[in-house]
Amino acid sequence: MSKKEKLPKKKKSFIRRLFKWTGLTILFLLIAIIVIPIIYKDEIKELVLKEISKSLKADVTIRDFDLTFLSTFPNVTIQLYDTKVTGRTEFKGVELANIKTIEAHVGLWDVIGGDEIKIREVHISDAKFDVRVDPEGKANYDIVIPTEEQPADTEPSKFKLSLQEYSLSNIQLVYDDQASDMYANIKNLNHTGEGDLTADVIDFVTSTQMDELTFEMEGLSYLSKVKTNADVNLLMEFKQDDSKFTLKENSFALNNFNLSLDGFYQMLKDHDQMDLKMNTKQISFKDLLSLVPSFYQSGYESMVAKGDLKLKGEVKGRMDDKNLPGWDFGLNVKQASIKYPDLPGSISNITVDAGSQFEGGSNLDKMTIDVTKFHSEFVGNLIDANLKLRNPMTDPLIDSKVKANVNLATIGKVMPLAEGESYKGKLNADVSLNGRMSAIETEQYQKFNALGVIELFDFLYKSKDLNEDVNVKDLTFRFSPQNLSLEKMNATMGKSDFAVNGKIDNYLGYLFGNKKEDQLLKGAFNFNSNNLDLDQIMGVSTSTSTASAAASAEPAPVDPNAEPLLIPENVDFNLNTNIQKLRYNGIDVNKISGNVNMKEEVASLNGLTMSTMGGTVGLRGSYSSKDHNKPAIDLGYNLKEIDIQEITSHFLTIEKLAPVAKYAKGKFSSSLNLKGDLTKALEPVYNTLTGDGDLFTNLVTVSGFEPLKKLGESLSIDKLSNQTFKDVKAFFSFADGKVTMKKPLKIKLSGIDTEVTGSTSFTQDIDYKMAMQFPKSMIPAGILKTAEQGLAKVNGISPKLNLGSIPDMIPVNALVGGTVTKPVIKTDLKEAILKATGNLKENLKEQGKEMLNKAKDSVKTVIDNKVKEVKEDLNKKKDEIMANAQKEADKLKAEAKKAGDQLRSEADKQCTDAMDAAGSNPLKKKAAELSCKELKKKADSSATKLEQEAQTKADNIMSKAQEKADAVK
């Protein structure tokens, strides 16, 4: 074979080529998996924020954003961290949502293509939702901008919901619907849902767990902290004008109360149709009791409950704008009993026969509500009640009786009580109501039977939650068609006593009336007390340090979810008060009398007077809770001869309004009119306060007030820092977060006539001008002497000028800025003295401009030289302050180092002793070594701590010294 002839190439095997290209493909995919999220992350983040901003009328913030598909390939995972949705208008500042993590899964090719991004999964975890509806029906969740309100050129959203799975994990939700008077609180909600939500027929599977569910409506609590579990399978069918939801396998558990539902709910074009029935075959009487907090939260597991139980519930029929479906609910309990094994008694012969029926339609007068019988017995006690209600919508017919004879001391024999809790006394009730509401409305009381009495004798209640026992000697409520009369109530609580009587009108209309105007509950009460110690009742310390501690303590943290004090909208109550002696927050108050009225969500004070803090107080005004999120006040007071120190130590707000009060002693009189908003915790919103007032005092001393101290230093008059003022009259106003002087305040500062104008902000910023008539006699001697020398020089140059001496009074202005604790003072004393010799200009006109300038320069030069001399003295004083502080700081650090070295030395000695004691024993030696190592470590740590603390104290000493030196002017 010729050398030039080539041998045929040997082909690589198919397997080798397959591995090669497979490897390259896998490598490419791995690179893509890493690179694609990086490439598209910013683009998708921009797209998400753009979509949010154009579709929501709320402020949305996102702390961080991430994009990956390593764990969800071939889907891309979008993750949003710390997302907050906050209201803009009516609910400004209210966080609708605060979500730690939102995770959404979308298709990889959707992201790359970019035309449409389908969201296949959404998972939300660790979130708080605060859902509110105000009294006018506006909801803070109504934040989506309707399509028709969006700009015409708005592009359609690239995101499309194509959910097949979603979940909620660790969710806290509060729902407060003030328009419908509904409230719900859900704690630790976990919920999942699966099913192709884009299909026309969906087999939808859900699972829900809640640690606590509370639900209230129209003042009634239906569920209280109920543990809830629900597994619901729904067949959802969607057609053009028909959507039907059929319940398949499902179960609901409320505490131990388990049930299921059968049936369907159908949404048609012009109405809804439903047929739902409760399946409660497996429920026992004990299961039903788990819904009653007093039973479920006290020994429920050991409780033995027996009895026959029948429970039914079904809703069936048509629902539209005029019609409601029919229903049939019923509860029947027979021969039931409750027994706790550790208690001697039991509740027996429990009988309940109750229900409500409605055939359906638009006439709700056909609805019936019945409690045919409610009966129970325990340890010789008896409770019987029934209720029949007909025509509830137009003219309710009421037939009800309640009878009870209970020895309250026996409650602990049949029910577990909390530790330290006990009852004593006797309760008798015998009340019957029979008649139509129309008889009450037309004042035909003879046609309505309302008779009976509720009495309580020698009642004593003890609880570890109360600081004092409650003792009601006697209480009598008497019923009549016109009113419910509290004939008497005499009670004591610790040192406090109180007696109450009065009556409540229209209680039947309030309970059963169907028109809002008929549901106004009216009442008038008299409250009398010889001694009312609220500090004792509330457990407030009465030590002498309480007042000062309260004044200097930091305010307690405010719960952002706290609800304000709400005044009911459908009550009209009057309370006439007469209290001889009251103690509250360390304040003793005497002879309180006046009227408090509550009406239409407003509480008003009328002619309330009292003696306290060394003087008398008169109060008037109102507190409104019409805006539940922003209560408002409109208050006024008249104070006469009140001790300044007492009012300042007990009311922290005084420091905001008048910071000087903390440093003042004496008595004052004042009047005030004030309007403004409050926070939900009833703290003033200071920048909303408006009003005006005045203050008068015959004699007041002020010492330690930093602005006066700084003013004295600036003018070289030490005695200005301690002042006694006589016959002070101040007039002020509130606006824009400031207290402003309405008129110049005329005072004497150590004999200097002064007019003060300016303001103090509620953040303690100060801005004042003090116009002072400075006596020549009070000018510091050095400055006065140099000024007179300057004038003598001028006279020496031109004896004919006859300039005379400095005037007896020199107008001086002081500007006071900065803050109350760190004021900044500027005065024009130097300029004022020069200006006082301004007649030089007039007298020297004829002598020529040059001589005038010489004369003025001579005075200025002499004064400047004196000022320079004073400054040198001040610098010497500053150096002395810093040197003394350095000595003190060095001494502190040296002592700490000495103590630290001593600790280390003692540790070394103990180690040496331990090693010597171990001798040649290797085990003892090793143990001694370990012990020594730990001992030295602790000693070194303690010594280091001492040195660090000393260094911190030394730094503080030097810092304070620097402040003191800087203040020397």
Side-chain angles (χ1 to χ4, degrees):
M1 181 182 293
S2 171
K3 290 181 180 181
K4 293 182 179 180
E5 291 182 22
K6 293 182 179 178
L7 293 172
K9 275 188 177 181
K10 194 173 182 179
K11 290 186 177 180
K12 294 180 180 178
S13 70
F14 171 75
I15 298 297
R16 289 181 65 191
R17 282 185 286 137
L18 177 64
F19 281 154
K20 175 182 176 181
W21 291 108
T22 301
L24 289 173
T25 303
I26 292 172
L27 180 61
F28 171 76
L29 287 174
L30 285 172
I31 293 171
I33 287 172
I34 295 169
V35 171
I36 287 176
I38 298 173
I39 294 173
Y40 288 98
K41 176 178 177 178
D42 292 338
E43 184 179 339
I44 292 183
K45 181 179 180 181
E46 192 76 24
L47 184 59
V48 169
L49 292 173
K50 182 180 177 182
E51 293 293 335
I52 290 173
S53 64
K54 77 180 183 183
S55 58
L56 298 183
K57 46 185 178 183
D59 294 325
V60 179
T61 60
I62 300 171
R63 181 183 62 81
D64 200 5
F65 175 93
D66 203 1
L67 185 68
T68 181
F69 55 34
L70 283 172
S71 59
T72 56
F73 183 81
N75 288 330
V76 176
T77 299
I78 301 171
Q79 293 173 316
L80 308 179
Y81 298 103
D82 294 331
T83 302
K84 295 181 181 181
V85 182
T86 309
R88 282 183 191 159
T89 53
E90 293 89 354
F91 297 92
K92 186 176 182 180
V94 177
E95 279 189 3
L96 168 63
N98 188 333
I99 307 169
K100 187 173 183 180
T101 307
I102 302 175
E103 184 177 290
H105 296 179
V106 301
L108 171 62
W109 303 116
D110 294 347
V111 175
I112 295 174
D115 293 333
E116 184 177 89
I117 300 177
K118 294 181 179 179
I119 302 175
R120 291 170 168 80
E121 293 183 29
V122 173
H123 304 282
I124 295 175
S125 60
D126 301 313
K128 293 181 180 180
F129 294 94
D130 184 357
V131 182
R132 302 181 187 180
V133 182
D134 69 14
E136 286 73 40
K138 295 178 182 176
N140 71 331
Y141 57 81
D142 184 17
I143 58 174
V144 179
I145 301 174
T147 306
E148 60 271 15
E149 293 182 15
Q150 295 183 12
D153 58 349
T154 301
E155 296 179 6
S157 175
K158 291 186 177 183
F159 286 100
K160 302 294 180 185
L161 279 177
S162 183
L163 282 182
Q164 296 180 351
E165 183 181 336
Y166 69 90
S167 69
L168 303 170
S169 304
N170 191 27
I171 306 299
Q172 321 301 321
L173 185 147
V174 175
Y175 176 77
D176 186 2
D177 186 343
Q178 296 173 6
S180 302
D181 198 7
M182 283 194 298
Y183 173 84
N185 191 340
I186 297 173
K187 293 188 177 179
N188 299 337
L189 164 68
N190 292 281
H191 173 81
T192 61
E194 295 180 13
D196 186 359
L197 296 182
T198 63
D200 293 332
V201 178
I202 308 168
D203 212 348
F204 193 46
V205 180
T206 69
S207 179
T208 306
Q209 297 85 40
M210 305 177 207
D211 284 356
E212 289 184 10
L213 169 61
T214 297
F215 178 71
E216 300 170 4
M217 186 168 67
E218 295 183 351
L220 295 177
S221 179
Y222 290 88
L223 298 171
S224 177
K225 298 182 179 180
V226 173
K227 186 175 182 180
T228 305
N229 290 281
D231 294 314
V232 180
N233 294 354
L234 277 174
L235 181 64
M236 302 193 296
E237 302 169 87
F238 298 99
K239 299 178 183 178
Q240 184 68 29
D241 297 319
D242 180 3
S243 299
K244 188 175 182 179
F245 306 87
T246 304
L247 285 158
K248 298 173 68 179
E249 294 180 8
N250 65 86
S251 64
F252 299 86
L254 305 173
N255 287 339
N256 281 44
F257 185 81
N258 295 276
L259 73 150
S260 63
L261 292 174
D262 298 323
F264 69 89
Y265 188 99
Q266 190 171 13
M267 301 169 65
L268 301 168
K269 188 174 183 179
D270 59 350
H271 72 282
D272 294 349
Q273 198 74 27
M274 67 196 76
D275 188 351
L276 299 169
K277 182 180 292 186
M278 281 197 306
N279 183 349
T280 58
K281 294 179 181 179
Q282 305 301 318
I283 297 175
S284 69
F285 179 54
K286 184 175 181 179
D287 296 335
L288 179 65
L289 291 176
S290 74
L291 297 180
V292 183
S294 58
F295 287 109
Y296 189 69
Q297 296 170 9
S298 58
Y300 177 81
E301 295 302 325
S302 64
M303 178 182 73
V304 177
K306 299 178 180 179
D308 296 330
L309 171 71
K310 291 181 181 179
L311 181 64
K312 64 179 180 179
E314 60 180 76
V315 181
K316 182 177 182 180
R318 175 188 178 113
M319 184 170 71
D320 54 34
D321 293 340
K322 295 182 180 179
N323 297 285
L324 288 175
W327 64 71
D328 186 1
F329 293 100
L331 171 65
N332 189 274
V333 178
K334 290 183 179 179
Q335 297 178 342
S337 63
I338 301 169
K339 178 74 171 72
Y340 291 89
D342 297 333
L343 298 177
S346 65
I347 305 174
S348 59
N349 293 330
I350 301 172
T351 302
V352 181
D353 188 1
S356 175
Q357 293 181 334
F358 178 56
E359 63 182 22
S362 61
N363 186 5
L364 282 172
D365 261 339
K366 294 182 179 181
M367 171 177 56
T368 65
I369 300 173
D370 292 290
V371 180
T372 306
K373 190 170 186 178
F374 179 90
H375 176 87
S376 69
E377 300 172 10
F378 61 97
V379 197
N381 302 300
L382 177 72
I383 299 176
D384 265 311
N386 61 49
L387 170 67
K388 178 180 179 181
L389 186 61
R390 297 292 183 269
N391 300 103
M393 304 308 294
T394 56
D395 187 11
L397 172 64
I398 307 155
D399 187 1
S400 177
K401 291 182 180 179
V402 177
K403 189 172 184 179
N405 297 102
V406 180
N407 180 352
L408 298 173
T410 62
I411 292 176
K413 295 181 179 180
V414 296
M415 287 186 63
L417 300 178
E419 183 182 352
E421 184 179 22
S422 68
Y423 297 85
K424 287 183 180 179
K426 291 185 178 181
L427 171 68
N428 296 326
D430 190 354
V431 180
S432 64
L433 306 173
N434 182 270
R436 289 191 176 274
M437 275 301 302
S438 56
I440 302 296
E441 292 168 356
T442 58
E443 299 184 359
Q444 295 179 334
Y445 301 117
Q446 71 278 7
K447 293 184 178 181
F448 195 101
N449 177 49
L451 297 173
V453 64
I454 297 177
E455 296 176 305
L456 189 62
F457 299 103
D458 298 324
F459 174 73
L460 178 63
Y461 175 63
K462 296 184 178 182
S463 171
K464 66 176 184 179
D465 296 328
L466 295 177
N467 297 292
E468 300 295 334
D469 300 341
V470 179
N471 192 328
V472 180
K473 183 180 179 182
D474 52 14
L475 178 151
T476 302
F477 269 114
R478 197 169 298 279
F479 289 77
S480 72
Q482 297 95 325
N483 54 54
L484 173 61
S485 174
L486 175 59
E487 292 186 352
K488 60 181 176 180
M489 185 184 80
N490 296 294
T492 59
M493 195 170 179
K495 299 177 183 176
S496 303
D497 66 88
F498 35 92
V500 185
N501 62 66
K503 64 179 181 178
I504 300 174
D505 295 327
N506 197 43
Y507 69 99
L508 292 170
Y510 179 79
L511 292 173
F512 303 109
N514 52 70
K515 297 179 183 178
K516 187 173 181 179
E517 57 268 24
D518 295 334
Q519 297 173 359
L520 181 64
L521 189 66
K522 298 181 179 181
F525 293 91
N526 300 305
F527 182 94
N528 296 281
S529 174
N530 293 311
N531 183 47
L532 190 59
D533 192 336
L534 295 179
D535 284 352
Q536 185 189 49
I537 291 173
M538 296 186 295
V540 177
S541 171
T542 57
S543 66
T544 55
S545 61
T546 300
S548 57
S552 60
E554 289 293 324
V558 176
D559 181 4
N561 296 315
E563 289 300 318
L565 175 66
L566 299 180
I567 308 300
E569 64 175 338
N570 51 348
V571 302
D572 183 357
F573 276 10
N574 272 294
L575 176 66
N576 295 311
T577 306
N578 189 351
I579 303 172
Q580 293 302 307
K581 184 179 180 181
L582 178 142
R583 185 170 180 80
Y584 173 66
N585 198 29
I587 306 172
D588 289 320
V589 186
N590 299 307
K591 297 180 180 179
I592 304 171
S593 63
N595 172 268
V596 180
N597 174 258
M598 290 189 295
K599 185 177 182 180
E600 297 177 351
E601 298 188 83
V602 177
S604 302
L605 299 176
N606 303 301
L608 193 66
T609 62
M610 63 191 75
S611 299
T612 183
M613 294 178 287
T616 61
V617 176
L619 296 175
R620 66 111 200 121
S622 63
Y623 164 85
S624 172
S625 63
K626 289 185 177 182
D627 186 337
H628 292 193
N629 298 310
K630 191 171 61 178
I633 54 171
D634 181 357
L635 300 175
Y637 67 59
N638 283 295
L639 309 179
K640 291 184 179 180
E641 292 298 305
I642 298 297
D643 185 275
I644 296 174
Q645 281 296 297
E646 278 206 57
I647 195 170
T648 305
S649 64
H650 293 298
F651 297 99
L652 299 180
T653 305
I654 296 297
E655 283 194 50
K656 296 275 189 181
L657 303 178
V660 69
K662 183 178 179 181
Y663 306 91
K665 291 182 180 180
K667 290 192 173 186
F668 74 101
S669 298
S670 175
S671 64
L672 174 76
N673 294 295
L674 184 67
K675 292 183 180 180
D677 298 332
L678 304 177
T679 66
K680 294 176 73 174
L682 304 185
E683 293 289 331
V685 180
Y686 289 104
N687 60 1
T688 68
L689 298 180
T690 60
D692 53 30
D694 54 47
L695 181 146
F696 303 94
T697 178
N698 292 324
L699 183 68
V700 62
T701 60
V702 178
S703 60
F705 189 45
E706 197 65 20
L708 284 180
K709 182 180 177 183
K710 291 289 186 184
L711 179 64
E713 292 173 356
S714 179
L715 296 173
S716 299
I717 304 176
D718 293 338
K719 62 182 179 179
L720 287 186
S721 60
N722 297 305
Q723 290 295 310
T724 297
F725 300 109
K726 295 181 179 180
D727 300 324
V728 176
K729 297 181 180 180
F731 300 87
F732 51 86
S733 63
F734 299 89
D736 302 321
K738 295 180 180 180
V739 182
T740 304
M741 307 299 300
K742 289 176 64 176
K743 298 180 181 179
L745 173 63
K746 296 181 179 182
I747 56 175
K748 282 184 178 292
L749 283 171
S750 297
I752 303 173
D753 288 330
T754 304
E755 287 191 354
V756 183
T757 56
S759 64
T760 301
S761 77
F762 294 131
T763 56
Q764 303 296 276
D765 293 318
I766 51 178
D767 182 12
Y768 285 96
K769 179 180 179 182
M770 306 177 76
M772 311 169 72
Q773 292 299 317
F774 211 93
K776 174 183 176 181
S777 59
M778 292 188 67
I779 298 175
I783 295 177
L784 179 60
K785 184 177 180 181
T786 55
E788 289 176 340
Q789 288 173 350
L791 288 174
K793 283 188 177 182
V794 173
N795 286 324
I797 293 170
S798 179
K800 294 181 180 180
L801 292 178
N802 193 24
L803 297 178
S805 61
I806 296 175
D808 290 337
M809 290 292 176
I810 303 172
V812 175
N813 291 314
L815 301 179
V816 184
T819 65
V820 172
T821 55
K822 293 184 178 180
V824 177
I825 309 294
K826 294 180 180 179
T827 72
D828 63 352
L829 176 59
K830 175 182 170 182
E831 293 79 3
I833 295 174
L834 292 176
K835 190 175 181 181
T837 62
N839 58 341
L840 288 176
K841 183 175 181 181
E842 298 298 327
N843 293 333
L844 294 177
K845 276 183 181 179
E846 296 178 0
Q847 301 295 322
K849 192 172 183 179
E850 184 178 351
M851 186 171 289
L852 169 64
N853 290 335
K854 283 183 179 180
K856 290 182 68 176
D857 288 345
S858 296
V859 175
K860 186 175 185 300
T861 300
V862 174
I863 292 177
D864 282 347
N865 289 337
K866 187 62 182 178
V867 169
K868 183 178 179 181
E869 182 183 331
V870 171
K871 282 185 176 179
E872 289 175 353
D873 290 340
L874 292 178
N875 288 333
K876 184 178 179 182
K877 187 176 181 181
K878 289 180 180 182
D879 292 341
E880 184 179 347
I881 290 171
M882 295 304 296
N884 290 337
Q886 189 66 57
K887 287 180 182 178
E888 186 180 352
D890 291 343
K891 181 181 177 183
L892 195 66
K893 288 191 287 184
E895 289 174 350
K897 187 176 185 308
K898 183 178 179 182
D901 291 343
Q902 181 67 27
L903 286 173
R904 294 186 181 100
S905 176
E906 288 177 0
D908 289 340
K909 184 178 183 305
Q910 291 180 36
C911 284
T912 301
D913 293 344
M915 292 298 291
D916 291 343
S920 58
N921 188 317
L923 293 178
K924 287 185 177 180
K925 243 183 178 180
K926 188 63 178 176
E929 286 176 4
L930 294 173
S931 175
C932 282
K933 186 177 180 181
E934 185 63 26
L935 188 64
K936 287 182 178 181
K937 183 179 178 182
K938 287 183 179 179
D940 189 62
S941 175
S942 299
T944 302
K945 186 178 179 182
L946 282 173
E947 291 165 357
Q948 288 174 344
E949 289 175 351
Q951 183 63 51
T952 301
K953 290 179 180 178
D955 290 343
N956 287 337
I957 289 170
M958 295 304 297
S959 176
K960 289 179 180 178
Q962 187 63 58
E963 289 179 6
K964 189 175 180 181
D966 291 342
V968 175
K969 294 180 181 179

